[in-house]
Amino acid sequence: MISKASAPAKIILFGEHFVVYDVKAILATINKRITVTSETTAEPTISIQSQLGDIKIGILEKNTIPELRPFEFLAKKMIKEFSHKGGIKIQIESDIPYGVGLGSSAAACVASAASISGLFTKYSKDKICKLAIEAEKTIFENTSGADCTVCTFGGIIEYDKSGYQKIKLEPDFNLVIVNSEIIHRTKDVVSKVLQFKNNNAARFEELCVKESEIIRKVKIAIEQKDYKALGSLIKENQVYLKEIGVSNDTLDGIIQTVDKTSYGSKITGAGGGGCIISIAEESAIDDIIRKLDKYQIQCFAAKIDYRGLETF
Ligand code: MEV
């Protein structure tokens, strides 16, 4: 038996970090994907092949590559739940850059949850999303769940810890994604923000209020397809991200370069490295990419993906 699923990369348009403290965030998926193929095997082992490494372990054994824990967790959970006597082979193929804030691990958790459970049953998207969040928690215990949610449902969503709401409109704005190629660990950057919050409680509270106000205005800008206004809100959000300490000189330099020809740019995801997103006119994209030549880093144009999780 073979089961295949694919899930998109994500960006956080607005509200990263503040979402951990119950402010709403706006997330979207983009047209880069991860595909997971699972297969039941007669041999009682779990094998995983991915860019992060290959492992083969017995059902009761633990793997030694921490990043592969979510897939090991999902395989073991399904084997137990469905009293499967054999093993599972999992193959993960990705065109999402790893560890740079584009949700590669959430997309992998979502596609794996769907692919592995699909060997035994057909779960609803809600159930797959919950399973994926459980799996992601094996590597990032305090995840808000935002990334897995958007990777499951696709498009643009408004999210807070109590749930999500899909933004029904399908705006077609152009994005440029710039990968600073500085690897970050979300967990570490989130801890740094907690430290900022503990040392500056009143200011952090103020910033949460300001961020909520941005989110309110974003929905209006999207409704009115006012991408210039959206760009200004992106710039404002970046100011707050800088204040809570998740930017750095390289990221600031990229943002300054890109800001000249785009509507606005900001960090997306945890920061400390990772990616910058920029909203731009289609006609400005080549110019933006040319201006970034001096950094010798990966950058590409992207569109919002409205497909979300797909199973085959
Ligand atoms: C990471 O992509 C987004 C953060 O807000 C953490 C989270 O929401 O779990 C930094």
Side-chain angles (χ1 to χ4, degrees), residues 188-306:
D188 297 342
V189 192
V190 168
S191 299
K192 196 175 165 202
V193 174
L194 176 61
Q195 223 170 333
F196 175 92
K197 177 182 176 279
N198 290 341
N199 294 336
N200 308 273
R203 180 61 184 155
F204 194 79
E205 197 49 46
E206 263 171 41
L207 290 174
C208 286
V209 173
K210 284 176 186 289
E211 190 67 37
S212 299
E213 187 53 18
I214 289 186
I215 304 293
R216 190 186 67 76
K217 290 181 186 162
V218 165
K219 286 187 283 178
I220 300 170
I222 289 181
E223 239 165 65
Q224 296 177 344
K225 294 197 172 168
D226 187 347
Y227 303 143
K228 211 169 157 188
L230 209 53
S232 303
L233 293 164
I234 282 195
K235 282 183 184 171
E236 187 183 341
N237 197 156
Q238 175 58 21
V239 173
Y240 304 148
L241 288 171
K242 197 172 153 136
E243 188 172 340
I244 61 174
V246 302
S247 198
N248 59 38
D249 290 348
T250 309
L251 301 178
D252 291 346
I254 295 171
I255 288 170
Q256 256 175 32
T257 308
V258 175
D259 262 356
K260 286 179 194 140
T261 26
S262 74
Y263 289 135
S265 323
K266 67 180 267 294
I267 287 164
T268 185
C275 286
I276 304 291
I277 53 164
S278 195
I279 289 196
E281 285 285 351
E282 192 167 6
S283 56
I285 291 176
D286 286 347
D287 190 41
I288 294 174
I289 293 177
R290 214 172 309 117
K291 283 207 171 82
L292 289 165
D293 258 3
K294 63 178 174 187
Y295 289 98
Q296 299 268 299
I297 50 177
Q298 180 190 31
C299 46
F300 53 90
K303 284 279 193 188
I304 305 289
D305 160 289
Y306 289 99

Side-chain angles (χ1 to χ4, degrees), residues 10-12 15-21 25 27 101-103 106 136 140 142-147 159 161 184 186-187 189-190 193 241 246 268-271:
K10 75 95 202 359
I11 52 171
I12 299 189
E16 49 275 270
H17 289 292
F18 297 102
V19 69
V20 175
Y21 303 99
L27 293 96
L102 296 181
E136 200 189 19
F140 176 29
N142 291 330
T143 177
S144 65
D147 292 8
Y159 181 91
K161 279 188 191 164
H184 63 199
T186 300
K187 198 171 149 184
V189 192
V190 168
V193 174
L241 288 171
V246 302
T268 185

Side-chain angles (χ1 to χ4, degrees), residues 127-141:
K127 174 103 183 167
I128 287 168
C129 182
K130 280 202 188 99
L131 201 53
I133 293 172
E134 239 185 287
E136 200 189 19
K137 283 189 172 166
T138 62
I139 42 170
F140 176 29
E141 204 185 326

Side-chain angles (χ1 to χ4, degrees), residues 1-66:
M1 170 80 184
I2 289 188
S3 159
K4 203 167 169 176
S6 122
K10 75 95 202 359
I11 52 171
I12 299 189
L13 283 168
F14 295 92
E16 49 275 270
H17 289 292
F18 297 102
V19 69
V20 175
Y21 303 99
D22 295 329
V23 173
K24 283 195 156 69
I26 307 269
L27 293 96
T29 46
I30 56 165
N31 53 344
K32 290 242 172 241
R33 298 183 80 84
I34 218 159
T35 302
V36 177
T37 309
S38 308
E39 199 178 336
T40 45
T41 58
E43 190 186 21
T45 56
I46 295 166
S47 58
I48 305 171
Q49 289 169 2
S50 80
Q51 285 166 1
L52 300 171
D54 296 348
I55 56 145
K56 187 168 180 179
I57 52 169
I59 304 293
L60 299 174
E61 249 178 283
K62 278 196 166 139
N63 106 79
T64 52
I65 305 176

